[in-house]
Amino acid sequence: MSQRLSILVFALVMAALPLIPEMPPFWIVLLDNIGLSALVAMGLVLLTGVGGLTSFGQAAFCGFGAYTTAVLTTQYGLSPWLSLPASLVVSGVAAVILGVVTVRLSGHYLPLGTLAWGIGLYYLFSKLEFLGRNDGITQIPPLQIGHFKMLDAGTIYYAIWFAVIVSAILTLNLLDSRTGRGIRALRRGHVAAEAFGVKTARAKLLVFVYAAVLAGLSGWLYAHFQRAATPTPFGAQADIEYLFVAVVGGAGYVWGGVLGAAIVVILKEVLQGYLPLIFGGQGQLEIIVFGIMLVALVQFAPSGVWPWLTGLLPLKSRLRRPDTSIALSAPVRAAPPPGPLLRIDNARKQFGGVTAVNNVSFEVGAREILALIGPNGAGKSTTFNLITGVLKATSGTVSFAGQPIIDAPPQAITQLGISRTFQHVKLVPDMTVLENVAIGAHLRGRSGAIASMLRLDRADEARLLAEATRQIERVGLGDQIDQLAGSLSLGQQRIVEIARALCVNPMLLLLDEPAAGLRHMEKQRLATLLRQLRDGGMSVLLVEHDMGFVMDLADRIVVLDFGTRIAEGTPEAIKTNPDVIKAYLGAVA
Amino acid sequence: MNTTILLFLVQDGITNGAIYALLGLALVLVFAVTRVILIPQGEFVTYGALTYATLSAGQVPGTAQLAAVMGIVAFGLDLYLARKSLHAKRILRAFAVNIAFPFAILALTYALAGRHNTIPVNTALSLLIVAAIGLFLYRIAFQPIAHTSVLVLLIASVGCHLAMQGFGLVFFGAEGLRGPAVSNAALTIGPLSFSGQSLAVYGITVAFIVGLWLFFDYTLYGKALRATAVNRLGARLVGIRTSLSGQLAFLLASLIGAISGILIVPITTLYYDTGFLIGLKGFIAAIIGGLISYPITAVAALGVGLVEAFSSFYASNFKEVIVFTLIIPVLVLRSLAAPEVEEEQD
């Protein structure tokens, strides 16, 4: 069953539920609560399971949504439909303020910040005169279409579940897009994503604001469902419960949020009935069970119930091969002036008292494979990092196609036409090979988050995926295109990195130990590929330890030792150079 | 405002700030060693305070039974983990720590409850009970997932907070409790009078700060604990027992929490859920200290206490709002001083 069909079936089932004769009204109320909770949890899924961030401020964002509409409809007589955008904007803006100050910090500042802030806001809601203090705001008008008022749980049910299903579709669309790949790279692999032009801080902010807006929507619905807004449902307890919902359902899955909401709301109802009989007290004793379950889930079933459930159902997402006939226009770049493509002139890098790169100069010509070799600690990777803008040189210049690039950020250097692979493979293990490689073409697409949600990005997306597919086929991994990157062998992962780098359509390809972990046949295939690339007009600069591979492939070789260039020349000349032999094997006996 | 009020507010702020400092230190300690953001720190405060108050009222606190039950679970986990190599020595060790220890405490509690114990006896017993809970909490909830990401540990931490707060409600009820003062001495300097209680607060806080600082910066074991936090695998390879460091960190944190609780329960009425808020104020201080620095955390905690005292005078309705919104400027400052974010593996 395809995804679209299953969503349609789900929507029809949900629409039919209240029509069942003799359906107890209390069950409808439960379903309403599940929907409201699912909306918030969906945002948390995106934040926690996909983005690797988390927030304890979601209830406060609900509060913003609820109080905004409460004030606007009761005090200014605004129609609830007009207060909806206001509710969403207020929650979104609140998230921007908190998001901007936390996105640059390590992951754990956001949950702590939102936790403290959420509690502060809870007190604010309960103290402000115009929000009715602890009594809140009552007599909020119901939602109304024409003369039809959504007064009872059975009618607002449709508004709530319409919102849930539409939000789920928009969220799924977002994740399956150029922006979505950037978001999914946040948790594991944001260093590489950043190198290919994904603005990770912005992606984090986007997810946070998106989650807050969903919470605001839930708050708006809640206010018109309860016809009142009081501080209690927007406190810290609710925040923690939302996190529980996301973890139970499956924090990595959009529908996991909906499933989690159903489990938690029903479980809570059952527990509130039975627990007082066991413990004899009153109050919210279900939190004991929730707490223990949360600890147990994290230990035994960290991916939640949803993946387990989908394993039982015949839900197979149909994998479609992207149409590789769609062309992606090459990035517009000025033609490089004649002469060497990359020129490194007296580059120097010191770490405190250690000189890692000591006034090194060399050039990479057009259509040339240059190998940078040297014993461990010779400064090869540091030189690489100076070229790609990861490290700033202490002195000296690096210029590419006639332009100095010494102080440019990594993204700008990528845009100029230099792309790289990493010594330690940096792929997003839970994304497919295709999706990982498509991150390489990130800067060649344009569609933003909103276009992606509304599926207006399809033409752009098809071009990116076609390009990614072409590059995957070019490196010979066409059969693995739909496998998860993490399931490939290390050697294959290195090749995936090369395909990703090729998606930039580079003029210069930097490869950091590409042959490490490859088998003999794979090395030969890699050498053939690199020769083809050179013959097609690309230059390659590679760091490699496998001498057989280097001597066979490189046009020229530069040898570094202790940060200093000790030799340069053709493979034949390097093989017999006494300084090189001394550096590798020690002094001649 | 006159000088008397000013001095009074400052004194009040410093007393509260000292408690936040103690909690902030415990949070930094636990995070530095285990990467766990210890949300249930506040529950250690509540458990310490209310266990002490219950013992002083001559009853058996439910926390003693909880410690025993947690011990049984921890024993089960130890046995399961060692199922492939069950030596008598290993079983005995696990039995001593997980069964004999908490049941001895439970027996002692039953034996002593109902008599008119002196304050030191009740204090010591409360500390023992809460320390056992802290130890087993790490063993049960965190040790099995010690290698995972900060986010996963945080989720487990939130789970512990929920469960412990729920148990707090079962054990101590929804009504607040107060305990007898540790000291009735008083000291008057000019217009200020210091109760023995607040002097004890200051003394213990300073002692802990100095102690922790000396321990982590100048002892081999302290350095080993820090190494565990930076690189678990590396620490294990050089022979540091990482699970033991985690247990030690939790033991210390629960002790600090319980001491804080016992120090404040004579001053204010504590409810089963008060600890959470107190702990969060410790968090604000710990965040200012970047979750690494003990001295900055301590100073920041005094700042939080002072802000709270003054805002309760000027805008008592918005006291909590102001204190918790402090987090925003703090995060802005940290963000400006932020180093590049490292990639996390999980």
Side-chain angles (χ1 to χ4, degrees):
Chain A
M1 202 159 41
S2 81
Q3 197 182 40
R4 262 181 219 178
L5 188 64
S6 35
I7 293 176
L8 189 68
V9 169
F10 179 69
L12 288 175
V13 169
M14 291 314 290
L17 274 183
L19 305 177
I20 297 172
E22 312 272 320
M23 179 86 164
F26 175 67
W27 288 19
I28 298 289
V29 174
L30 277 188
L31 283 169
D32 287 346
N33 287 331
I34 291 171
L36 290 172
S37 171
L39 273 175
V40 184
M42 221 180 274
L44 266 183
V45 160
L46 210 58
L47 256 183
T48 311
V50 182
L53 304 161
T54 200
S55 155
F56 291 110
Q58 297 314 100
F61 292 125
C62 284
F64 274 116
Y67 274 108
T68 306
T69 188
V71 170
L72 289 178
T73 52
T74 58
Q75 285 167 32
Y76 299 93
L78 212 65
S79 147
W81 301 112
L82 291 176
S83 69
L84 172 61
S87 286
L88 301 187
V89 167
V90 169
S91 336
V93 168
V96 169
I97 294 171
L98 194 63
V100 163
V101 301
T102 48
V103 284
R104 285 189 59 237
L105 298 171
S106 338
H108 51 271
Y109 284 99
L110 187 66
L112 286 177
T114 45
L115 186 57
W117 205 50
I119 292 175
L121 286 171
Y122 164 74
Y123 281 105
L124 194 68
F125 291 147
S126 61
K127 301 289 185 201
L128 283 180
E129 187 66 57
F130 81 105
L131 297 182
R133 297 179 185 250
N134 276 316
D135 301 330
I137 297 174
T138 50
Q139 295 184 325
I140 298 174
L143 294 180
Q144 196 173 353
I145 300 173
H147 290 288
F148 175 67
K149 290 184 175 175
M150 301 189 191
L151 282 168
D152 60 349
T155 48
I156 199 160
Y157 170 91
Y158 287 99
I160 291 174
W161 279 94
F162 177 76
V164 172
I165 289 171
V166 169
S167 305
I169 293 172
L170 293 181
T171 311
L172 286 168
N173 287 349
L174 176 64
L175 285 179
D176 177 30
S177 74
R178 173 176 173 267
T179 315
R181 283 189 292 273
I183 293 170
R184 289 158 68 192
L186 285 177
R187 193 158 62 94
R188 300 192 272 184
H190 72 258
V191 171
E194 187 85 22
F196 287 98
V198 178
K199 295 200 174 73
T200 51
R202 244 173 76 179
K204 278 188 199 170
L205 188 62
L206 172 77
V207 184
F208 185 55
V209 172
Y210 184 77
V213 169
L214 282 181
L217 175 63
S218 171
W220 177 82
L221 284 163
Y222 177 85
H224 294 287
F225 169 40
Q226 296 292 329
R227 314 273 309 279
T230 51
T232 323
F234 309 125
Q237 206 77 60
D239 279 317
I240 293 174
E241 208 173 286
Y242 288 131
L243 183 71
F244 180 53
V245 167
V247 174
V248 169
Y253 308 87
V254 172
W255 292 108
V258 181
L259 180 68
I263 295 174
V264 172
V265 169
I266 293 170
L267 187 65
K268 192 171 168 179
E269 205 52 50
V270 173
L271 289 178
Q272 279 175 346
Y274 287 101
L275 279 186
L277 301 178
I278 301 169
F279 289 109
Q282 71 273 38
Q284 300 174 310
L285 293 175
E286 73 275 4
I287 60 175
I288 298 177
V289 179
F290 283 6
I292 293 173
M293 273 180 72
L294 200 50
V295 173
L297 273 170
V298 165
Q299 292 193 7
F300 302 112
S303 47
V305 180
W306 180 256
W308 171 79
L309 196 68
T310 47
L312 300 179
L313 292 173
L315 269 173
K316 280 280 170 286
S317 58
R318 199 152 36 95
L319 292 167
R320 253 188 325 177
R321 272 286 163 116
D323 180 359
T324 52
S325 64
I326 307 168
L328 177 64
S329 58
V332 185
R333 295 189 188 114
L341 188 64
L342 179 78
R343 174 176 298 184
I344 293 157
D345 195 15
N346 268 317
R348 186 180 183 83
K349 179 67 189 177
Q350 282 172 302
F351 296 104
V354 180
T355 307
V357 176
N358 186 7
N359 298 346
V360 167
S361 303
F362 63 90
E363 289 167 351
V364 183
R367 296 183 180 233
E368 182 182 38
I369 298 181
L370 180 76
L372 196 56
I373 65 168
N376 284 329
K380 304 180 299 288
S381 289
T382 311
T383 309
F384 244 61
N385 286 335
L386 292 180
I387 299 171
T388 49
V390 174
L391 291 175
K392 289 220 182 312
T394 313
S395 66
T397 57
V398 179
S399 57
F400 178 70
Q403 283 186 57
I405 55 168
I406 199 81
D407 282 327
Q411 291 99 324
I413 290 173
T414 306
Q415 207 134 28
L416 282 173
I418 300 182
S419 69
R420 69 173 297 181
T421 66
F422 294 87
Q423 186 184 356
H424 303 286
V425 173
K426 292 187 192 299
L427 295 171
V428 185
D430 46 9
M431 266 163 51
T432 65
V433 168
L434 177 65
E435 288 167 325
N436 267 293
V437 172
I439 285 184
H442 189 82
L443 286 172
R444 298 172 71 187
R446 282 198 322 276
S447 303
I450 293 180
S452 307
M453 280 189 254
L454 301 174
R455 279 289 191 230
L456 300 174
D457 65 332
R458 289 298 97 183
D460 193 45
E461 177 77 358
R463 282 194 292 271
L464 293 186
L465 292 182
E467 174 72 9
T469 310
R470 277 194 296 270
Q471 300 304 347
I472 292 168
E473 283 168 357
R474 190 176 186 181
V475 299
L477 283 178
D479 292 339
Q480 279 83 23
I481 191 166
D482 289 321
Q483 288 183 22
L484 296 182
S487 69
L488 265 50
S489 72
L490 184 63
Q492 285 175 322
Q493 293 190 16
R494 287 191 183 283
I495 304 295
V496 173
E497 284 219 327
I498 294 175
R500 182 175 64 186
L502 289 176
C503 272
V504 173
N505 192 15
M507 289 195 273
L508 174 65
L509 187 61
L510 300 181
L511 304 175
D512 204 344
E513 300 195 18
L518 261 59
R519 285 186 290 257
H520 182 66
M521 291 300 285
E522 292 173 328
K523 279 181 193 170
Q524 283 184 333
R525 251 180 278 144
L526 176 63
T528 313
L529 171 71
L530 294 180
R531 280 193 202 101
Q532 279 170 5
L533 291 172
R534 176 194 58 193
D535 297 341
M538 203 179 287
S539 300
V540 179
L541 171 61
L542 69 133
V543 164
E544 186 50 67
H545 278 297
D546 183 331
M547 284 306 141
F549 182 77
V550 168
M551 293 298 167
D552 188 38
L553 176 71
D555 298 318
R556 271 190 318 130
I557 296 176
V558 170
V559 189
L560 295 182
D561 190 26
F562 291 113
T564 312
R565 194 189 72 177
I566 57 168
E568 179 175 348
T570 59
E572 287 68 36
I574 294 294
K575 268 186 216 169
T576 52
N577 185 314
D579 288 337
V580 176
I581 295 170
K582 194 174 146 194
Y584 270 92
L585 301 176
V588 183
Chain B
M1 171 165 36
N2 58 34
T3 326
T4 319
I5 296 177
L6 178 79
L7 284 174
F8 179 75
L9 288 178
V10 169
Q11 188 192 3
D12 191 37
I14 289 179
T15 311
N16 285 335
I19 294 290
Y20 302 150
L22 274 177
L23 298 177
L25 294 181
L27 296 170
V28 173
L29 166 77
V30 167
F31 186 77
V33 176
T34 63
R35 296 176 304 126
V36 172
I37 294 174
L38 193 61
I39 308 284
Q41 178 67 38
E43 272 64 52
F44 290 142
V45 177
T46 323
Y47 278 22
L50 300 183
T51 302
Y52 170 74
T54 311
L55 282 172
S56 305
Q59 288 156 351
V60 175
T63 40
Q65 291 144 1
L66 179 67
V69 173
M70 288 174 82
I72 295 172
V73 176
F75 184 59
L77 280 177
D78 274 350
L79 285 191
Y80 179 76
L81 213 67
R83 66 192 180 280
K84 300 252 168 69
S85 55
L86 279 176
H87 314 301
K89 202 178 151 194
R90 207 162 172 176
I91 300 173
L92 270 180
R93 215 186 91 94
F95 185 83
V97 175
N98 298 318
I99 303 288
F101 170 56
F103 276 91
I105 297 174
L106 187 64
L108 201 63
T109 313
Y110 272 104
L112 293 175
R115 301 191 197 172
H116 286 283
N117 299 311
T118 54
I119 284 166
V121 169
N122 283 337
T123 307
L125 198 53
S126 312
L127 292 183
L128 268 177
I129 292 171
V130 179
I133 292 177
L135 184 71
F136 296 140
L137 189 70
Y138 180 78
R139 178 65 194 84
I140 296 168
F142 296 100
Q143 198 169 310
I145 51 167
H147 56 279
T148 56
S149 68
V150 174
L151 182 67
V152 172
L153 292 170
L154 173 66
I155 293 173
S157 176
V158 167
C160 292
H161 154 70
L162 268 191
M164 285 179 70
Q165 184 167 322
F167 279 122
L169 178 60
V170 173
F171 298 150
F172 307 112
E175 306 295 319
L177 293 175
R178 267 200 191 213
V182 174
S183 153
N184 288 318
L187 176 71
T188 311
I189 304 171
L192 290 178
S193 68
F194 295 93
S195 64
Q197 193 72 25
S198 54
L199 289 176
V201 171
Y202 304 150
I204 289 174
T205 306
V206 171
F208 260 105
I209 293 172
V210 174
L212 285 175
W213 171 59
L214 290 177
F215 176 65
F216 277 102
D217 279 19
Y218 292 98
T219 67
L220 188 64
Y221 203 80
K223 286 176 185 170
L225 284 187
R226 278 165 56 197
T228 310
V230 177
N231 186 339
R232 285 186 71 76
L233 186 65
R236 280 175 78 163
L237 289 177
V238 296
I240 298 168
R241 289 182 58 177
T242 50
S243 58
L244 212 61
S245 344
Q247 289 175 0
L248 185 74
F250 267 67
L251 190 75
L252 272 173
S254 54
L255 267 180
I256 292 174
I259 290 172
S260 315
I262 294 169
L263 285 174
I264 49 176
V265 76
I267 307 174
T268 45
T269 307
L270 285 191
Y271 300 84
Y272 76 98
D273 58 353
T274 320
F276 181 50
L277 284 185
I278 300 176
L280 278 181
K281 289 170 189 166
F283 260 116
I284 295 182
I287 292 175
I288 299 178
L291 288 170
I292 354 174
S293 166
Y294 294 99
I296 298 180
T297 301
V299 174
L302 290 183
V304 172
L306 287 173
V307 167
E308 189 181 32
F310 278 89
S311 49
S312 65
F313 180 75
Y314 284 110
S316 62
N317 259 338
F318 295 99
K319 184 183 86 171
E320 309 285 359
V321 181
I322 293 169
V323 171
F324 284 112
T325 316
L326 267 185
I327 195 91
I328 300 279
V330 166
L331 288 174
V332 172
L333 287 179
R334 282 231 73 82
S335 190
L336 292 177
E340 276 297 302
V341 179
E342 287 289 312
E343 193 136 37
E344 183 156 11
Q345 304 292 329
D346 67 339

